[in-house]
Amino acid sequence: MWPPSPVVELNPTVAVAMANGPRQALHMVDELAASGRLSGSHLLPGVRGELLTRLGRTTEARAELELAARPGRNARGRSVPLRKAAALP
């Protein structure tokens, strides 16, 4: 059996955020981060940055979004989280 992809691992957190709000989903994302199963994935800091933004934690959100745009991704993949980070107050 193949290990779950980062997308499969993060999908439930997005659903929880939509149904129950970002706080519970952020807890789930933090547990995934602590497990190390998604280390190196740009998706984890991207989702975490979005949740932190929704919670009004803009300094932390900006740092996560900038991490999601780390080198190694294509220009489009880097520009979206960087644009979101720059738009934060």
Side-chain angles (χ1 to χ4, degrees):
M1 175 178 244
W2 296 95
S5 74
V7 172
V8 171
E9 293 271 359
L10 286 169
N11 277 346
T13 65
V14 174
V16 166
M18 294 172 123
N20 302 332
R23 190 169 316 283
Q24 185 178 353
L26 181 60
H27 178 71
M28 293 171 67
V29 169
D30 288 344
E31 286 180 349
L32 278 172
S35 76
R37 290 193 313 262
L38 297 180
S39 62
S41 169
H42 68 282
L43 297 174
L44 185 68
V47 170
R48 193 164 191 281
E50 292 288 338
L51 295 171
L52 289 165
T53 297
R54 290 182 57 194
L55 289 167
R57 295 166 54 181
T58 56
T59 301
E60 294 167 274
R62 186 176 297 106
E64 290 293 328
L65 291 167
E66 289 170 353
L67 183 59
R70 66 181 165 251
R73 299 199 55 217
N74 63 41
R76 171 91 174 130
R78 286 189 304 272
S79 70
V80 172
L82 289 176
R83 189 171 58 246
K84 289 179 180 184
L88 291 172

